[in-house]
């Protein structure tokens, strides 16, 4: 099994949109996939049209087994650990980085019996507990907005998390607005020099907002719109980098 955290320090950069659509694409490929919503805002839970049936923080406090939190979704091979507001206490529930890492490692070891892939939709904050979670996973999928400053912020994050091995980083550009000359130029000239970035872009698209209304991943709701196409291309680049067995 592989565990992928979709993470960024910055809010509103497309973490949830990416986590939901990549999880749906993995499931559609027949991979038993779990989407773990770790953000108390519950965006991923909302988009899948689900509701938390328990309090996730009870797991983090050691009061409830993880299995009871795993729910089915409307899509074959796709399961969910839903988020609810109890997750606001996530930080207080774990003593620090080491405790969080251990709890996540234990969780992933259990999940590996049932799943081939776990996507974790993270909140936009690097607390010691989040760092513990990131230490337990196999890959960090990082949405980067199309600008020099976002790329710089990514490089700083990479320096701060210096223990993450090179191959574990999967940064990619999101929300590229093709109508904006400066962004298109940046993508063509600067981003293409930056070998680490996955060689594909997620474009700015009104279909992303539509997901919130439809409460479905865009790749299943409207598979032919450009946003779905860009997520399918992204998945084609991410999948081989996961070394799935
Ligand atoms: N490619 C896109 N084009 C246009 N809008 C997008 C795109 N991707 C996401 N959005 C919109 O931007 C907003 C933020 O996206 P999303 O919730 O995925 O970001 P996030 O990084 O998970 O945010 P947060 O840090 O709050 O969890 C949402 O309203 C979403 O619909
Ligand atoms: Mg989010």
């Amino acid at each position: 099994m592989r565990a992928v955290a979709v993470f960024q320090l910055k809010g509103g950069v497309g973490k949830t949109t990416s986590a939901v659509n990549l999880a749906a694409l993995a499931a559609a490929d027949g991979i038993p996939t779990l989407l773990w919503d770790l953000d108390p805002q519950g965006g991923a839970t909302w988009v899948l049209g689900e509701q938390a049936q328990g309090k996730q923080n009870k797991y983090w406090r050691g009061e409830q087994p993880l299995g009871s939190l795993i729910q089915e979704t409307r899509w074959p091979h796709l399961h969910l650990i839903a988020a609810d507001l109890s997750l606001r206490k996530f930080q207080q529930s774990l003593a620090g980085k080491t405790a969080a890492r251990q709890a996540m490692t234990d969780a992933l070891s259990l999940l590996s019996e049932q799943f081939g892939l776990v996507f974790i939709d993270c909140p936009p904050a690097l607390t010691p507990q989040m760092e513990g979670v990131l230490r337990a996973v196999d890959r960090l999928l990082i949405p980067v907005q199309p600008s020099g400053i976002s790329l710089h912020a990514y490089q700083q994050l990479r320096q701060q998390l210096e223990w993450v091995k090179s191959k574990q980083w999967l940064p990619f550009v999101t929300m590229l607005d093709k109508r904006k000359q400066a962004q298109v130029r940046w993508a063509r000239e600067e981003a293409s020099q930056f070998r680490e970035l996955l060689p594909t872009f997620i474009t700015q698209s009104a279909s992303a907002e539509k997901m919130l209304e439809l409460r479905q991943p865009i790749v299943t709701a409207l598979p032919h719109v450009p946003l779905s196409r860009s997520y399918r291309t992204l998945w084609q680049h991410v999948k081989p980098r996961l070394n799935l067995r």
Side-chain angles (χ1 to χ4, degrees):
M1 189 192 77
R2 291 284 178 254
V4 181
V6 186
F7 181 75
Q8 243 291 9
L9 279 170
K10 200 165 186 286
V13 295
K15 294 182 290 298
T16 299
T17 306
S18 301
V20 166
N21 284 295
L22 292 174
L25 288 167
D29 273 359
I31 302 168
T33 302
L34 176 74
L35 179 57
W36 188 334
D37 192 349
L38 199 53
D39 186 342
Q41 293 185 96
T45 304
W46 172 268
V47 172
L48 291 191
E50 297 293 334
Q51 222 176 340
Q53 288 160 8
K55 290 200 161 74
Q56 196 187 129
N57 212 44
K58 284 197 173 170
Y59 167 71
W60 294 109
R61 282 174 29 197
E63 294 169 4
Q64 201 175 334
L66 189 64
S68 63
L69 293 171
I70 301 172
Q71 50 193 82
E72 288 183 357
T73 70
R74 288 177 280 159
W75 295 276
H77 308 299
L78 183 60
H79 284 70
L80 171 74
I81 294 183
D84 66 287
L85 281 176
S86 72
L87 272 177
R88 284 176 309 160
K89 303 247 172 74
F90 174 66
Q91 322 301 334
Q92 292 98 297
S93 305
L94 290 155
K97 199 188 318 188
T98 312
R101 180 187 191 174
Q102 193 56 54
M104 193 39 118
T105 303
D106 293 347
L108 294 176
S109 144
L110 185 91
L111 292 172
S112 68
E113 290 170 18
Q114 190 180 349
F115 298 102
L117 188 53
V118 175
F119 282 100
I120 304 168
D121 186 26
C122 300
L126 191 56
T127 57
Q129 288 78 4
M130 261 324 297
E131 193 175 329
V133 167
L134 298 181
R135 277 183 180 255
V137 303
D138 304 297
R139 301 284 186 277
L140 268 59
L141 195 58
I142 316 277
V144 177
Q145 283 178 314
S147 69
I149 190 170
S150 303
L151 201 51
H152 178 68
Y154 164 70
Q155 284 166 310
Q156 283 190 317
L157 177 69
R158 209 174 183 285
Q159 267 171 19
Q160 190 161 358
L161 306 183
E162 87 306 318
W163 43 267
V164 184
K165 295 189 205 95
S166 291
K167 281 188 183 160
Q168 292 179 305
W169 290 102
L170 298 174
F172 65 100
V173 173
T174 44
M175 297 189 183
L176 178 78
D177 189 344
K178 286 188 168 164
R179 294 164 306 182
K180 294 197 173 139
Q181 286 279 319
Q183 287 192 11
V184 174
R185 201 175 324 116
W186 177 85
R188 207 172 33 222
E189 290 164 19
E190 262 191 75
S192 59
Q193 302 287 315
F194 198 72
R195 294 264 169 98
E196 225 172 288
L197 283 171
L198 295 176
T200 184
F201 302 115
I202 300 296
T203 47
Q204 182 89 30
S205 155
S207 317
E209 301 287 344
K210 199 125 180 90
M211 279 193 356
L212 305 174
E213 268 171 55
L214 298 170
R215 298 192 70 181
Q216 277 201 55
I218 204 70
V219 293
T220 61
L222 300 169
H224 302 298
V225 298
L227 185 63
S228 297
R229 280 205 297 274
S230 21
Y231 271 114
R232 277 198 299 275
T233 308
L234 178 65
W235 173 235
Q236 290 313 316
H237 288 289
V238 169
K239 193 178 178 183
R241 289 169 169 83
L242 300 178
N243 293 86
L244 295 166
R245 258 159 275 144

